[in-house]
Structure formats: structure tokens, C-alpha cells
Amino acid sequence: MHETLEIRLTVNERSEAVRIEPRETLADVLRERLSLTGTKVSCDAQVCGACTVLVDDLAMSGCTFLAADADGRSVRTVEGLARDGRLSPVQQAFIDHAAFQCGFCTPGMLMAATAILEEHPRPSRDQVVHGLEGNLCRCTGYEPIIEAVLAAADAGTVDEGVAGW
Amino acid sequence: MIPRFSLTRPGSIEEALDAFDRAADDVAYLAGGTELLQVMKMGLAQFTTLIDLKGIAELKGISVLPVGTLRIGATSTHRDIERSPLVRERAAGLARLESRIANVRVRNAGTLGGNLAFAEPHSDPATFLLACGASLTLAGRAGRRELEVAEFAVGPLATAREQDEVLVEILIPAARPGEGRAYDKIAFFERPAASVAVRLTVVDGSIADATVAVGSLTDTPVVVTGAGGALQGAPVLGDGFAVALDAAAMALGGVEAMADLNGSADYKRHLAGVLLGRAAGVAVREATAHA
Ligand SMILES: Cc1cc2nc3c(=O)[nH]c(=O)nc-3n(C[C@@H](O)[C@@H](O)[C@H](O)COP(=O)(O)OP(=O)(O)OC[C@H]3O[C@@H](n4cnc5c(N)ncnc54)[C@H](O)[C@@H]3O)c2cc1C
Ligand code: FES
Ligand code: FES
């Protein structure tokens, strides 16, 4: 018998208890145990961001984050963005701005964008670019994605903040 | 897939050391896992036991000690450090460099302790901490000891840490009056191609003393004494400053740089020279503001 442990976490606000092996990643558990296949794995090396999920509101690479480290924490994935059949503002903005083509990077981009907008409700363009730096897209050339995130932000004044610190 | 391992989650340093004693030979401490899990996935290292340090309260938190030293717990993430008002106020250069490490996901998971303990030659914070004369505390079976950051990394992926020792905290001395500390890097891929940290003191409009550390060129970050010496005595305004910066950049010519994906040794030395000028300018501004 291999060592296993039970983790309790919430995924998109639902409580889950899953018995896992220590070596399982959060992306494995979401995709293989909980059938939440919206989260993608591509580079498996924390470079591309296809696997971006939010753990206690912070963007993490699901591909290299131990599921054991999600014990007791709140995980959000792309499946949790829409509410009562209504897309989240950033999801709608991605459609309106043609911010995806093949769509493979989109779940990760949406989660990264969600984290940016929660931290900076009215981000500057710099803040959007900085926050998306680790999410790669091979189709769009990024411009429509940046436009979509800015459009999804509250209309009105723009944060003065510069990227990073 | 990551090969199988067993995981323990101690609540104190004592429990971590006990877990280390009980484990077989191939045991490693785990913090954010951004390096460790990656090397395990790639088959570069295998461990049958991982001891997770993230649940240990003593390794967390950022505070200022009575003497003004900034204490950063080893499991503080890059993000914790970047956002800390104490770090922004007392070591602004560190807060800025932390905000530029890797990508937001690596910053949210990766810790300062893990960065230093892994001793990757392209570490950003190691270069800055070296220039600042920072130190760190290790706790092991044989007790506690404090080491200078300069003594810690001994080669690529090699440190003076004994296998059982837990890196507890990083200690950054308070800036003296008139002192400025700054860092700059250039990166084409994930990690820096070249980086430079400058710590200097300005007295009456000229540089009283300066330390220049260079990262990503050599196996471990190095202090380039000749470069610091070239800045010493220079006025911080006018042509004199530019002349001193040129001399300091020349002194980098002696650094035994390694060629890598980022470019040749000469090219990387050139980059370091440019970064030295930028970092020195920022350090002078900080020093003048603190005068
Ligand atoms: C895509 C990518 C880009 C990156 N870019 C940069 C960059 O631009 N600049 C940069 O500086 N770094 C970069 N990094 C390195 C990044 O992984 C580290 O900065 C990170 O902080 C390592 O910390 P960790 O907590 O994840 O360490 P872990 O992976 O958990 O541990 C690393 C090593 O340290 C040991 N260890 C960890 N904590 C302790 C402790 N408290 N006591 C004793 N031993 C300990 C572990 O046993 C292991 O050997 C990058 C990494 C990736 C994957
Ligand atoms: S799959 Fe995780 S970052 Fe690429
Ligand atoms: S839409 Fe194809 S990779 Fe981004």
C-alpha cells in the first residue's frame, strides 16, 4: 500500500474530501479526481500558466502545486467563474474582445485575470501586463487579452499604480 | 509525474529535526516546491521523504528587531516580501526585485529560504543580500548558528548548510544614514542573464564607501572589490560620477563569467556594466533621500 492522506478543501465553494497520494498535484486532483478538466497542463514547468488556479485567492501553478498543500484551503478554477449561467465580466470581455482563438491558454488566462482584478479593481495597463507575464498565448498576440481585462475592470478612473513595486 | 514520496508536516523546528532523524537518507525539506518538485519531476533528484516546513510558525513572518535589523522568516514567499510595508520602507530594493522574480505564480509559492537554500546561480535575492551584508540563521541537531550570506552559497546548487539544518530566517542590517541599496537585472528567459546590486554611502555629496555584487555571471554571486573601490570617493553629481561608473564597469572585466543560454562571457560582463550604472544611480538617489 502506498502512503495516502485525506485532504479537505473547497473547490469553487463546494466542500470536497479526497484521499490522495502525497505526490499528486493540484492539477491532477482537479482533473482526474474531480473531473474539472477546465484546468490545463502544458509545460508542466511553471512557465506557461495553462494550469493557473487560485488558492486562497492567489494564482498558483496547478501543475507544480502539491494537492496536499491545498488541504484546508479554498481553490477556484475556471469552472467556478460563471454564476447562475451568467459569465463573469472577464469571461464576457474575452468573448467581446476576441481574446482567444484555440482557447488552450484561456482557462489559465481567465484565472490570472481574475486575480489581477481582485487585487486591483481598476488596474493600469502596466499592472495587467505584469500580472499576465507568466501566461503564454500562442494565438492572439496578447493585445486582445490585455484589452479584455481592462474592459472587464470597473469603468471609471484608472489606478495610478505602476506594475510590481 | 512526480515519483512517490512520503510527506510529513511538522509544526515546529524540533519536530522537523526529529522527522529528519527518522527518515532514510534521501530526505529533503520542502517549502514552496517551485525548485524541488520541478527537479523531482525531471528525474534530476529523488527523495523518498519530504518534510514540509510551511506549517512551522517560527519560519514565518517579517519583522524589525530592536536593533533595526529586518528579519524575514525563511518560508516568507516572494509575494509576502514584495508586499510587506516593512520591507518597502527598510529595503525598498528588495521589495522591488521580489516583484520582478519569475511570474506571479512562482512568487506566490516560492520562498526566500528555498531560493537561498537551492543556490541557483541566477538567484535574484542572493545578489542583493550579498551586497547588503545580510546574514542568516540555521537550526540543526548541533544547535543554531548564524552565517553571512557571503559564506552560505559555496557553488552552484551547493551551500554551507548541513543536511539536517533548517534555514530559519534572513537578517538584513538596517541602512545606515546616507546609505542606499539598489538592484537591477536583465532577463531574456525566466531567470536573470545578469544582475548587479550596489550598496553605497553618500557623505557630503560623494561616495564614502561602496559594495558591488554581481549575480548570474559566476557559480555564486560575487562581490567585485575593484568595482566598489572605483566608486569610492566619487562625487554623486556631474562628470565625476560618470567617470567613476566607467571605471567600476571596467573592473567587472576581471569577473570570470560563464557563457550560457543568455550569451557569451563578454556579453554578460557588458550587461553587468550597464546594470551597474543603473543600480548605482538608484542607490545614490536612495542614499540622498536617507541623508
Ligand atoms: C519558472 C521559474 C522561474 C524562476 N525565476 C526566478 C527568478 O527570476 N529569480 C529567482 O531568483 N528565482 C527564480 N526561480 C526560482 C524559484 O524557484 C525560487 O526563487 C523559489 O523561491 C524557491 O523557493 P521554494 O520555496 O519553492 O523552494 P523549494 O523548491 O521548496 O526548495 C528548494 C530547495 O531548498 C531546500 N529548502 C527550502 N526551504 C528550506 C529551509 N527553510 N531550510 C532548509 N532547506 C530548505 C529544499 O530542500 C530544496 O532543496 C524561478 C523558478 C521557476 C520554476
Ligand atoms: S502547465 Fe503549469 S505552468 Fe505550464
Ligand atoms: S488562444 Fe491559443 S494559446 Fe491562447
Side-chain angles (χ1 to χ4, degrees):
Chain A
M1 244 326 261
H2 301 296
E3 175 184 312
T4 59
L5 70 156
E6 185 172 89
I7 56 167
R8 290 167 185 278
L9 66 169
T10 67
V11 179
N12 300 330
E13 293 177 4
R14 263 184 59 160
S15 307
E16 305 277 2
V18 195
R19 184 152 280 284
I20 58 159
E21 276 193 61
R23 66 162 164 175
E24 283 177 77
T25 65
L26 185 53
D28 291 338
V29 167
L30 291 169
R31 292 179 54 86
E32 312 294 335
R33 307 299 191 98
L34 301 173
S35 301
L36 294 170
T37 54
T39 302
K40 307 300 178 200
V41 174
S42 178
C43 70
D44 206 15
Q46 308 165 73
V47 173
C48 75
C51 64
T52 308
V53 294
L54 306 189
V55 180
D56 287 345
D57 306 329
L58 296 176
M60 297 289 182
S61 302
C63 70
T64 317
F65 188 94
L66 290 184
D69 281 343
D71 193 14
R73 301 174 74 178
S74 156
V75 175
R76 285 187 286 160
T77 70
V78 71
E79 286 90 347
L81 289 182
R83 296 278 160 145
D84 308 322
R86 284 178 67 93
L87 297 180
S88 77
V90 70
Q91 284 177 306
Q92 187 59 50
F94 267 53
I95 296 176
D96 297 342
H97 291 78
F100 53 93
Q101 291 172 28
C102 80
F104 196 82
C105 69
T106 312
M109 285 287 181
L110 288 169
M111 298 319 290
T114 300
I116 295 169
L117 291 170
E118 287 176 0
E119 190 180 350
H120 309 288
R122 289 183 294 278
S124 65
R125 187 184 167 85
D126 250 18
Q127 286 169 330
V128 174
V129 171
H130 186 64
L132 293 179
E133 234 159 39
N135 287 73
L136 303 186
C137 175
R138 283 294 173 256
C139 302
T140 63
Y142 300 102
E143 210 46 39
I145 296 176
I146 297 163
E147 292 303 321
V149 180
L150 287 169
D154 297 354
T157 51
V158 162
D159 240 18
E160 293 297 303
V162 289
W165 205 73
Chain B
M1 237 199 173
I2 303 170
R4 286 205 166 84
F5 58 85
S6 80
L7 180 68
T8 37
R9 297 194 271 186
S12 68
I13 294 178
E14 203 48 41
E15 282 175 29
L17 294 174
D18 287 344
F20 186 92
D21 284 346
R22 279 197 310 274
D25 280 352
D26 39 4
V27 49
Y29 291 123
L30 169 74
T34 57
E35 296 284 22
L36 188 64
L37 298 175
Q38 205 63 51
V39 299
M40 289 174 74
K41 259 188 214 174
M42 293 161 69
L44 300 176
Q46 295 318 336
F47 299 100
T48 49
T49 305
L50 295 188
I51 302 172
D52 180 16
L53 301 175
K54 291 191 293 295
I56 302 178
E58 200 191 335
L59 305 186
K60 296 185 196 175
I62 300 175
S63 57
V64 177
L65 304 182
V67 284
T69 301
L70 188 61
R71 180 218 182 253
I72 303 183
T75 57
S76 305
T77 63
H78 297 303
R79 207 74 195 301
D80 293 336
I81 299 168
E82 162 195 346
R83 292 190 188 181
S84 157
L86 288 177
V87 179
R88 290 181 177 198
E89 182 190 308
R90 290 169 177 264
L94 179 63
R96 269 194 298 271
L97 88 78
E98 290 285 359
S99 75
R100 294 176 60 205
I101 285 185
N103 58 52
V104 65
R105 302 181 308 282
V106 171
R107 292 195 292 276
N108 280 335
T111 66
L112 181 57
N115 180 297
L116 298 178
F118 196 65
E120 218 280 338
H122 300 83
S123 162
D124 283 295
T127 309
F128 181 86
L129 294 172
L130 175 63
C132 292
S135 58
L136 43 82
T137 309
L138 297 167
R141 272 284 164 252
R144 292 198 173 212
R145 55 183 183 134
E146 198 177 314
L147 276 186
E148 300 285 310
V149 165
E151 303 165 303
F152 188 59
V154 296
L157 313 186
T159 69
R161 185 178 70 84
E162 297 295 333
Q163 287 223 329
D164 64 317
E165 282 181 316
V166 174
L167 174 49
V168 179
E169 63 197 0
I170 292 84
L171 301 165
I172 307 172
R176 290 169 291 179
E179 182 171 288
R181 312 185 284 203
Y183 175 85
D184 209 344
K185 71 163 169 187
I186 182 158
F188 310 120
F189 305 107
E190 301 303 325
R191 296 164 205 251
S195 64
V196 174
V198 176
R199 186 202 59 77
L200 49 75
T201 316
V202 175
V203 178
D204 298 334
S206 55
I207 297 176
D209 67 70
T211 308
V212 173
V214 174
S216 296
L217 266 60
T218 45
D219 285 351
T220 62
V222 282
V223 170
V224 185
T225 322
L231 295 180
Q232 203 168 325
V236 297
L237 291 174
D239 289 348
F241 187 51
V243 170
L245 286 181
D246 282 347
M250 286 285 284
L252 300 182
V255 176
E256 300 260 354
M258 52 184 176
D260 59 18
L261 275 182
N262 296 295
S264 68
D266 273 343
Y267 177 58
K268 288 174 57 175
R269 275 190 293 262
H270 170 76
L271 292 178
V274 174
L275 294 168
L276 167 56
R278 293 182 190 166
V282 176
V284 164
R285 276 202 297 283
E286 192 180 290
T288 328
H290 281 181

